[in-house]
Amino acid sequence: MAISLLSSILYSHFTMSAASTVVSITVFITLLCVCLVIGHLLEENRWANESITSLLLGLCAGLVTLALRKWKSSHILVFDEELFFIYLLPPIIFNAGFQVKKKRFFRNFSTILLFGVFGTLISFCIISTGSFFLLKEIGITSLKIQDVLAIGAIFSATDSVCTLQVLNQEETPLLYSLVFGEGVVNDAASIVLFYAVQSLNFNNIDALTALKLLGTFLYLFSTSTALGIAVGLVSAYIIKKLYFGRHSTNREVAIMLLMAYLSYMLAELFSLSGILTIFFCGIIMSHYTWHNITERSRVTTRHAFATMSFISETFIFLYVGMDALDIDKWKRSDGNLGTTVATSGTILFLVMAGRAVFVFPLANVANCFRNEPDAKIDLRKQFVIWWAGLMRGAVTIALSYNQFATGSSSKQGAFFVTNSIIVVLFSTVVFGTVTKPIIQALLSQNSKSPNSEDNAVSNLDDIHLLFLENRRANEDGNNTRSSLGMLLMNPTSTIHQFWRKFDDKYMRPVFGGRGFMPYVPGSPSSATEDNV
């Protein structure tokens, strides 16, 4: 009898739980659909974009939920940083690497690394140092050194989605490439820094601690990149050799999806940066693997990856908006209104100052190595790059949960989580709203014909290639000196030419790629050839 009663209670509990889950997911999917419709209707709006729309709709949905539950909870789904890092972030980063314009990206790779790595380190130092001194003046004296460094890493993570939705990579290829590339590398660098801070023992701080932190950062950065490249090459070799498309295009799509996700999970398994790994895996797959599959699979994968990324981005912004009205966090926070406003304002000031400290000087350093006038980063473009990195997003929220939801006392943790939400909301809504008018005002006077940068750089590459070919007839010593001179004068273009030669001679014959795709019966191209 008791067993029967217990079984009925458990059955009722699980039935109610399942029903609650179904309702929550139904409501959330409905909100996602509404976000897509409103975003489409506001496509040409001067002030709004899909990120802000999703965030504001999340706030409205959270407010309605809060009212229906008599001001006790605004949650439809419970936020979990593992959900974000394991399921939502990988499609976004992989698609970023898969869809990136590789020629533009790697021609600006040195500048992207300058902003994304060194700039992030500078921003990290400014925000951490400023937080250590300024937060004490506000009255926050209980922070440990690890918490202060974590704040620096958390708020160094940019979210340039709003800016990228405004920029057109055909009209402003240089600016789009720099903002996009720096955004991805910056997110990866910030997360690597965050995990590096968590892995070190700060009980005994000495001069070696900073070196250990830098060493850990460089180790994670390099090994994560190498792992992504390795998995991408393995996927290309497997698909090239096994010809999955002979029997099923579904297998081709499935193996690409699974191998990409495998690279991310392997990085997490080995405590590396999954963002860097899956980003470079996406680049390698688009360069080699994508050209080894059938045309049906090419169309399918390109749209499938973009759709998954788009849904994940919308989901994140929608949930961040709803999570901002979590009444429990605000009740647990030990800060009053004045302290909260002062802390959020201080962090926003440090974010703006830290970004300005590295964007303008590093841009001028990069200009010293850019000989073409169209490739120069003028003051207008520098301002856009600075503005693009002021917005904070879901990475900041997730890292804040990771550090302060469990790593600090309940009241202090809730206080910094709520401040992170305030910074994200303010920077996304306020800065994001005026992003389109500012960029249009700055770039309308500085516009140029589409692909002008690509044409200029391509012409320069052709000159260099012709120069290299003509120098082959000379002695080896003279050829070496000319190559070194070219490397010093135009390092990016010269390295690109050497890489193209190496890629065509050694890499593509082994791993496939454009011009090395095997003939696969049943593909659209083969069917067309059979009908001719």
Side-chain angles (χ1 to χ4, degrees):
M1 186 71 177
I3 295 176
S4 177
L5 180 61
L6 180 61
S7 299
S8 63
I9 292 173
L10 289 175
Y11 176 78
S12 300
H13 172 75
F14 285 119
T15 303
M16 292 175 63
S17 177
S20 177
T21 302
V22 169
V23 171
S24 299
I25 294 176
T26 302
V27 172
F28 216 91
I29 292 176
T30 303
L31 290 174
L32 284 172
C33 294
V34 174
C35 282
L36 298 182
V37 173
I38 295 177
H40 171 71
L41 295 176
L42 296 177
E43 182 71 25
E44 302 298 328
N45 189 274
R46 180 177 174 84
W47 301 99
N49 56 53
E50 288 175 343
S51 302
I52 299 174
T53 302
S54 302
L55 202 58
L56 293 178
L57 185 60
L59 282 171
C60 295
L63 186 62
V64 172
T65 306
L66 198 61
L68 292 176
R69 295 185 176 181
K70 298 179 180 180
W71 309 100
K72 292 182 179 180
S73 174
S74 66
H75 278 156
I76 295 177
L77 297 174
V78 178
F79 183 85
D80 185 359
E81 63 269 17
E82 290 187 1
L83 168 70
F84 172 76
F85 282 111
I86 300 298
Y87 299 107
L88 297 178
L89 191 59
I92 298 173
I93 303 301
F94 175 76
N95 184 66
F98 192 79
Q99 304 284 358
V100 69
K101 302 289 186 180
K102 292 183 290 296
K103 287 183 179 180
R104 297 175 187 169
F105 180 81
F106 284 105
R107 280 170 180 154
N108 298 304
F109 191 60
S110 57
T111 307
I112 289 171
L113 284 182
L114 201 63
F115 288 145
V117 178
F118 291 101
T120 303
L121 287 171
I122 294 171
S123 179
F124 165 75
C125 294
I126 296 294
I127 296 174
S128 298
T129 306
S131 299
F132 181 78
F133 290 104
L134 296 180
L135 293 183
K136 285 184 178 180
E137 299 296 325
I138 298 173
I140 303 172
T141 58
S142 58
L143 285 177
K144 300 176 182 178
I145 186 66
Q146 191 172 40
D147 291 330
V148 173
L149 294 175
I151 289 173
I154 289 169
F155 291 101
S156 294
T158 65
D159 191 333
S160 54
V161 173
C162 290
T163 309
L164 290 176
Q165 288 176 351
V166 178
L167 292 174
N168 187 311
Q169 63 177 327
E170 300 301 330
E171 295 178 359
T172 55
L174 172 63
L175 201 53
Y176 188 95
S177 177
L178 291 176
V179 171
F180 169 79
E182 189 232 340
V184 174
V185 176
N186 167 273
D187 282 347
S190 299
I191 293 175
V192 169
L193 267 176
F194 179 79
Y195 288 135
V197 167
Q198 285 191 326
S199 66
L200 292 180
N201 183 8
F202 291 93
N203 292 329
N204 297 318
I205 301 177
D206 52 24
L208 291 177
T209 304
L211 293 177
K212 289 180 181 178
L213 181 62
L214 180 61
T216 304
F217 172 80
L218 294 176
Y219 165 76
L220 291 174
F221 202 93
S222 58
T223 52
S224 301
T225 302
L227 178 61
I229 293 173
V231 175
L233 291 176
V234 169
S235 72
Y237 186 80
I238 290 175
I239 290 179
K240 180 175 181 291
K241 288 297 182 182
L242 297 183
Y243 299 151
F244 285 92
R246 288 181 303 178
H247 306 294
S248 172
T249 57
N250 295 334
R251 290 191 179 94
E252 289 184 316
V253 177
I255 196 68
M256 286 188 70
L257 281 169
L258 292 174
M259 290 290 285
Y261 194 64
L262 177 63
S263 71
Y264 186 88
M265 296 310 300
L266 285 174
E268 295 297 315
L269 179 65
F270 296 125
S271 299
L272 303 176
S273 171
I275 285 185
L276 268 178
T277 298
I278 201 169
F279 176 70
F280 279 97
C281 181
I283 291 178
I284 296 298
M285 279 191 172
S286 69
H287 188 65
Y288 297 111
T289 313
W290 190 74
H291 293 283
N292 297 339
I293 60 179
T294 60
E295 291 182 14
R296 288 192 187 96
S297 297
R298 292 186 193 181
V299 175
T300 302
T301 52
R302 187 167 291 279
H303 290 288
F305 296 153
T307 302
M308 292 168 62
S309 172
F310 180 74
I311 293 175
S312 296
E313 286 180 359
T314 307
F315 183 98
I316 289 170
F317 279 104
L318 181 63
Y319 194 87
V320 167
M322 297 182 65
D323 191 61
L325 294 176
D326 181 10
I327 199 71
D328 292 332
K329 283 196 294 289
W330 295 97
K331 288 180 178 179
R332 288 199 309 270
S333 176
D334 60 351
N336 54 37
L337 180 61
T339 305
T340 302
V341 171
T343 303
S344 301
T346 299
I347 292 174
L348 277 169
F349 167 75
L350 291 173
V351 166
M352 298 175 73
R355 187 156 183 84
V357 165
F358 79 81
V359 167
F360 297 102
L362 292 185
N364 286 291
V365 170
N367 284 337
C368 296
F369 300 94
R370 292 173 172 265
N371 296 327
E372 304 82 25
D374 290 336
K376 296 286 186 181
I377 310 173
D378 59 32
L379 189 59
R380 289 193 184 95
K381 294 176 183 177
Q382 292 175 25
F383 183 86
V384 172
I385 294 171
W386 172 74
W387 186 267
L390 294 181
M391 284 160 277
R392 297 297 179 263
V395 174
T396 297
I397 296 289
L399 293 181
S400 181
Y401 266 90
N402 190 299
Q403 176 67 23
F404 295 110
T406 58
S408 302
S409 65
S410 177
K411 291 184 178 181
Q412 179 179 282
F415 175 75
F416 277 101
V417 169
T418 53
N419 274 276
S420 300
I421 292 172
I422 292 173
V423 170
V424 169
L425 286 176
F426 184 88
S427 62
T428 301
V429 175
V430 177
F431 293 162
T433 300
V434 298
T435 292
K436 186 179 290 187
I438 286 178
I439 291 180
Q440 288 178 346
L442 288 173
L443 299 185
S444 60
Q445 302 174 3
N446 199 30
S447 60
K448 57 184 179 179
S449 60
N451 298 323
S452 60
E453 181 206 357
D454 282 347
N455 293 335
V457 179
S458 297
N459 292 336
L460 181 64
D461 285 345
D462 292 339
I463 294 173
H464 283 173
L465 183 60
L466 180 62
F467 183 72
L468 284 172
E469 295 293 337
N470 291 336
R471 296 294 293 180
R472 284 182 177 178
N474 297 335
E475 297 180 359
D476 292 339
N478 293 333
N479 192 33
T480 302
R481 285 194 295 272
S482 67
S483 299
L484 289 175
M486 288 173 57
L487 184 62
L488 294 175
M489 293 175 59
N490 296 284
T492 304
S493 299
T494 308
I495 291 173
H496 178 69
Q497 289 300 335
F498 286 138
W499 161 249
R500 283 172 56 182
K501 290 176 177 292
F502 177 80
D503 189 33
D504 291 339
K505 187 174 182 180
Y506 298 105
M507 299 296 290
R508 291 188 182 184
V510 176
F511 299 105
R514 182 177 298 170
F516 289 88
M517 187 186 79
Y519 176 83
V520 180
S523 68
S525 58
S526 65
T528 302
E529 290 169 3
D530 293 339
N531 293 331
V532 174

